[in-house]
Amino acid sequence: DVKVTQSSRYLVKRTGEKVFLECVQDMDHENMFWYRQDPGLGLRLIYFSYDVKMKEKGDIPEGYSVSREKKERFSLILESASTNQTSMYLCASSLFGSGANVLTFGAGSRLTVL
Amino acid sequence: DAKTTQPPSMDCAEGRAANLPCNHSTISGNEYVYWYRQIHSQGPQYIIHGLKNNETNEMASLIITEDRKSSTLILPHATLRDTAVYYCIVRVGNYGQNFVFGPGTRLSVLP
């Protein structure tokens, strides 16, 4: 019954490495989101996408990029990982529209940058 | 953007009802109130949402005041597994895409 799948539950990378976090949803949702979660700071939106090849910056896009080549897949890319990007990364998806649309989250990817 | 205010923490005895309040005094007429919870090291889980009327599902009840400026999530018979951080969210954004998460309420269900 898994609906939003994040490719890696735990990752350890070194400073300067390029990191890909993959997210796939099977609910045919138009919207997809990437958040990061840090103690005391809550969930903060990095990027979101409301259609294939479309992307919008969230609150903290610096140091990140995203890719949405297919409707079901939304990738978060760290071009050159830094230690301050150590965090829990959460992917989510929802239907498009301004009405009542539930946001469904994946299990999260905990990234450690050494 | 409509924002929410929740108490940082609450305790509840196992088997009793847990009532979690949320203030959203700047909510606009077409914005929904959503509740999510997050158990440690997992992704947030959807609980319930509502617009004007009270709502109930298998997990919880949502009571929204008539002026819509506040709401209460009710877990009727709290169990130890309900210990989590609970988030009250009002949808914002041009097309309602963005969900803004505040710090939430840390609910501890005590045996």
Side-chain angles (χ1 to χ4, degrees):
Chain A
D1 191 38
V2 176
K3 298 178 179 178
V4 178
T5 304
Q6 295 185 229
S7 57
S8 302
R9 192 80 172 90
Y10 299 95
L11 303 93
V12 179
K13 299 292 182 180
R14 296 202 175 275
T15 300
E17 280 192 82
K18 190 169 185 176
V19 181
F20 291 89
L21 298 178
E22 303 285 340
C23 176
V24 177
Q25 51 94 4
D26 63 1
M27 296 170 286
D28 202 34
H29 284 173
E30 291 85 3
N31 298 334
M32 296 189 74
F33 306 79
W34 275 105
Y35 290 87
R36 66 176 281 177
Q37 184 172 30
D38 302 286
L41 297 177
L43 279 78
R44 293 180 291 168
L45 183 65
I46 305 171
Y47 268 97
F48 67 95
S49 167
Y50 54 88
D51 200 354
V52 174
K53 297 190 185 296
M54 304 301 290
K55 61 184 179 183
E56 295 286 342
K57 293 181 180 180
D59 300 320
I60 51 165
E62 296 78 19
Y64 303 94
S65 62
V66 290
S67 172
R68 186 137 182 231
E69 297 296 321
K70 294 184 177 182
K71 187 176 184 180
E72 68 271 17
R73 188 179 299 270
F74 193 35
S75 302
L76 181 69
I77 303 156
L78 289 66
E79 294 288 343
S80 178
S82 63
T83 55
N84 63 12
Q85 292 178 310
T86 291
S87 186
M88 167 72 93
Y89 290 87
L90 291 160
C91 175
S93 70
S94 74
L95 288 170
F96 182 82
S98 60
N101 292 317
V102 173
L103 193 63
T104 302
F105 282 87
S109 297
R110 186 165 293 280
L111 172 66
T112 300
V113 182
L114 303 175
Chain B
D1 293 353
K3 296 189 183 300
T4 62
T5 305
Q6 299 176 252
S9 64
M10 294 181 63
D11 292 339
C12 177
E14 187 178 18
R16 304 297 294 268
N19 297 281
L20 292 90
C22 179
N23 181 288
H24 33 78
S25 59
T26 61
I27 192 171
S28 62
N30 62 349
E31 288 181 317
Y32 287 75
V33 179
Y34 294 78
W35 283 84
Y36 285 77
R37 72 180 183 184
Q38 187 174 25
I39 296 169
H40 183 63
S41 295
Q42 298 182 21
Q45 175 191 24
Y46 165 79
I47 301 172
I48 199 167
H49 71 277
L51 181 63
K52 297 179 181 178
N53 300 320
N54 298 337
E55 302 287 345
T56 296
N57 64 19
E58 65 278 5
M59 290 182 68
S61 295
L62 174 60
I63 308 298
I64 302 174
T65 58
E66 191 169 345
D67 63 7
R68 302 211 324 124
K69 292 185 177 182
S70 66
S71 60
T72 301
L73 178 75
I74 301 172
L75 306 178
H77 305 287
T79 70
L80 299 179
R81 287 178 293 182
D82 292 322
T83 292
V85 177
Y86 287 77
Y87 299 98
C88 169
I89 299 155
V90 173
R91 291 197 73 191
V92 299
N94 290 337
Y95 301 104
Q97 297 111 324
N98 194 8
F99 285 70
V100 178
F101 284 77
T105 296
R106 182 173 297 278
L107 175 68
S108 298
V109 179
L110 308 175

